[in-house]
Amino acid sequence: MKRLITPPSIDYVGIMGLFFGALLSVSAASDRLADSPNIIFILADDLGFNQLGCYGDTPIKTPNLDRLANSGIRFTQAYSGNTVCSPSRVSLFTGRDGRLMENNSNTVQLRDIDVTVAHVLKHAGYDTALFGKYSIGSQMGVTDPLAMGFDTWYGMYSILEGHRQYPQFLWRDGRKLRIKENEGGKRGAYAQELFAEEAIDYITQPHENPFFVMLAFSSPHAELAAPKKYVDAYEGGFPETPYGGMSSGEPSDKYAWYYPEPVDQPHATLAAMVTALDDYVGRIVRALEERGMAENTMIFFTSDNGPHDEGGGDVEFFRASAPYKGMKRDVYDGGIHVPMIVHWPAAIRRPRVDATPWAFGDVLPTFAELAGVSLNLVPRVRTNGMSIRGLLKDNPTAMPERTLYWEFGKQAGDPNSGIIGEIFQAARRGDWKAVRYGLGGQVELYNIGKDPGENRELSEFYPEVHQEFSELFRQYQN
């Protein structure tokens, strides 16, 4: 008699449960992705706190940015990652402040093991793109934008490329492109407009996923130059002393080797550069509105550090850092205290001014939370920033008090030589701010809330607070 083989029992109900559970999980992830905001992070270069209309008494016209600020959140106590370009951008990209940075000078670059904000957003399924100035990659194919989390990029690769407003070449996805309109001394293609046009083209393409766009302008950094229509709007508006550059055969200032072109109207030109950026931001906003994308698109606008005095720039004339002391390369607040505007109609319906202190190192954890990414599950991520997601709504959640820290390895001699000289340090906790210029220098103590210009040094009146900051500086000075 044949033996009957009984097939193994199959739990069809269990299998179907797993199947539908997986479908629900995928559906939930898809819904979460669909609800995730598009993010556009716009970074100006060497723009001072008081060079936007919404932040003070500047004669520079910025109507589009003023409208964003008046319909979103205008942060008044936001800080960059450093007082010069490269360490500030590395802080922004990696979520680290000077305590976790291996190099706090302008020679710092991303390492191939670094995890960037673009990497983190790729974990959430975002499309990612960078337009404009990069300047923190050490090797193409290893730490260029494509290798550091961006799907596509267009702009300037090295730091010195960012010194030209009418470049003769740019890069697209690692390929060098001639800008023929600027060859032979011509000025036919303004870099900032090219960056904005590329960003708009990308934003308005069909996207199945939410997108993250990093738009890093290289203005109003020197060299001072802008399209004629913007300069003409300020002609005769300011007293002018022409900047000579190298036109006489001798440098007119210590930066002339980098910015040799003379500028007849440096004040009008710098103002024109800022107004041009404002115009390009307005074009982006209009493109979003025309396509019905503005509601759930977050726009951040800020600067990488304080204002400059290079190539004809004049910080004092425009009171560019007011009410703060110092400028680019200072760790007084004028060098690191930056404008920060956040516009997100879907979540911010009641405009406000917010005085919460935060800094560039907080951007990566903030974007991770916005996108629903647990940083515990992202390999190699290393951040000491704190998410400010709780501030980005109409009923903000107060953040706990903490200590913010900056460290700058000043470059000795030529300002762009890369030779490490003095070490500057700064820290802020609540209204207390401490600075030290040089490892052997005095630790200065200020109440930044009552004395934003850092004019009244208070260490003798508050020795315990002074001692706490002194110990912090000693801990991290190496």
Side-chain angles (χ1 to χ4, degrees):
M1 183 176 184
K2 277 191 175 180
R3 193 171 170 189
L4 296 176
I5 300 175
T6 304
S9 63
I10 301 175
D11 184 359
Y12 290 102
V13 174
I15 290 175
M16 293 302 291
L18 290 171
F19 175 73
F20 283 111
L23 283 179
L24 288 171
S25 177
V26 171
S27 175
S30 298
D31 290 343
R32 188 167 58 248
L33 192 61
D35 293 336
S36 297
N38 301 313
I39 302 171
I40 302 174
F41 195 98
I42 304 174
L43 185 66
D45 198 347
D46 293 0
L47 178 72
F49 182 85
N50 193 40
Q51 288 182 302
L52 299 180
C54 55
Y55 275 93
D57 56 359
T58 180
I60 301 174
K61 297 176 176 63
T62 56
N64 294 293
L65 287 163
D66 296 349
R67 277 192 291 271
L68 282 185
N70 292 334
S71 57
I73 304 174
R74 179 168 64 88
F75 287 97
T76 60
Q77 302 296 317
Y79 287 87
S80 63
N82 209 297
T83 187
V84 292
C85 168
S86 294
S88 187
R89 291 164 194 260
V90 171
S91 173
L92 172 64
F93 274 61
T94 64
R96 302 196 294 258
D97 70 12
R99 286 171 285 198
L100 289 184
M101 299 270 284
E102 286 75 18
N103 178 352
N104 284 300
S105 81
N106 215 23
T107 63
V108 68
Q109 296 172 324
L110 290 171
R111 304 166 303 161
D112 59 353
I113 63 170
D114 285 333
V115 175
T116 71
V117 63
H119 284 133
V120 168
L121 289 174
K122 291 304 293 181
H123 278 263
Y126 270 68
D127 297 336
T128 57
L130 183 145
F131 304 99
K133 177 178 172 179
Y134 184 56
S135 80
I136 49 176
S138 61
Q139 186 178 347
M140 200 72 75
V142 179
T143 54
D144 69 304
L146 292 183
M148 303 310 290
F150 291 96
D151 300 327
T152 186
W153 69 283
Y154 172 88
M156 299 165 166
Y157 184 68
S158 75
I159 193 168
L160 292 182
E161 291 170 29
H163 293 181
R164 298 293 166 257
Q165 301 297 335
Y166 290 91
Q168 295 187 30
F169 67 90
L170 291 170
W171 299 85
R172 185 188 301 280
D173 295 339
R175 185 168 61 90
K176 196 173 187 177
L177 306 176
R178 289 173 61 186
I179 309 299
K180 295 181 180 180
E181 299 91 331
N182 295 337
E183 293 180 349
K186 293 181 292 185
R187 292 191 165 194
Y190 189 52
Q192 316 314 317
E193 187 166 25
L194 294 177
F195 301 154
E197 289 175 346
E198 288 283 335
I200 291 170
D201 181 65
Y202 178 85
I203 289 165
T204 56
Q205 292 173 11
H207 289 274
E208 294 184 0
N209 305 314
F211 59 75
F212 166 57
V213 167
M214 173 72 73
L215 175 54
F217 289 119
S218 58
S219 173
H221 191 297
E223 63 182 355
L224 300 191
K228 186 176 184 297
K229 68 176 182 178
Y230 297 108
V231 180
D232 286 350
Y234 290 99
E235 187 172 7
F238 310 118
E240 298 280 11
T241 300
Y243 170 73
M246 291 294 297
S247 59
S248 69
E250 294 294 328
S252 61
D253 68 1
K254 63 182 179 179
Y255 300 106
W257 293 100
Y258 291 92
Y259 314 112
E261 292 286 334
V263 183
D264 291 337
Q265 303 178 80
H267 296 333
T269 303
L270 190 141
M273 295 169 78
V274 177
T275 295
L277 295 190
D278 178 82
D279 188 26
Y280 305 145
V281 172
R283 294 184 199 180
I284 291 168
V285 173
R286 286 191 294 275
L288 292 168
E289 291 173 345
E290 288 168 1
R291 289 159 180 80
M293 302 167 62
E295 179 74 8
N296 200 30
T297 296
M298 301 185 72
I299 299 176
F300 288 72
F301 181 91
T302 188
S303 176
D304 64 345
N305 46 250
H308 70 86
D309 63 347
E310 304 164 19
D314 187 339
V315 173
E316 293 301 320
F317 178 80
F318 285 110
R319 300 181 66 247
S321 302
Y324 305 108
K325 178 168 69 177
M327 58 182 177
K328 179 180 180 179
R329 299 185 179 87
D330 277 314
V331 291
Y332 292 121
D333 259 34
I336 54 178
H337 202 133
V338 292
M340 179 68 76
I341 299 166
V342 180
H343 183 264
W344 185 17
I348 304 165
R349 300 191 180 277
R350 296 198 297 270
R352 74 176 191 274
V353 176
D354 193 297
T356 304
W358 62 282
F360 274 15
D362 300 328
V363 170
L364 184 148
T366 300
F367 287 4
E369 185 174 355
L370 282 164
V373 176
S374 170
L375 291 178
N376 294 329
L377 304 179
V378 179
R380 305 190 322 276
V381 72
R382 187 167 179 245
T383 175
N384 60 348
M386 179 181 292
S387 173
I388 65 156
R389 173 64 182 91
L391 299 177
L392 305 179
K393 56 186 180 179
D394 286 335
N395 298 303
T397 304
M399 295 181 66
E401 187 175 271
R402 59 193 169 129
T403 300
L404 303 176
Y405 178 83
W406 300 267
E407 183 178 304
F408 172 44
K410 186 180 179 183
Q411 294 162 282
D414 186 300
N416 291 293
S417 67
I419 302 170
I420 308 304
E422 294 179 293
I423 304 298
F424 298 169
Q425 293 171 290
R428 176 174 174 173
R429 188 181 72 250
D431 282 342
W432 291 114
K433 167 86 183 293
V435 300
R436 178 166 72 170
Y437 278 75
L439 297 182
Q442 175 191 357
V443 175
E444 304 168 24
L445 181 67
Y446 302 96
N447 185 312
I448 201 74
K450 296 178 180 178
D451 176 27
E454 293 168 276
N455 295 311
R456 186 168 182 241
E457 207 281 318
L458 299 172
S459 57
E460 67 173 301
F461 302 105
Y462 299 93
E464 293 182 0
V465 177
H466 179 263
Q467 181 63 26
E468 290 175 8
F469 280 110
S470 298
E471 291 175 359
L472 176 75
F473 287 169
R474 280 195 295 270
Q475 180 181 357
Y476 291 106
Q477 68 184 25
N478 294 321

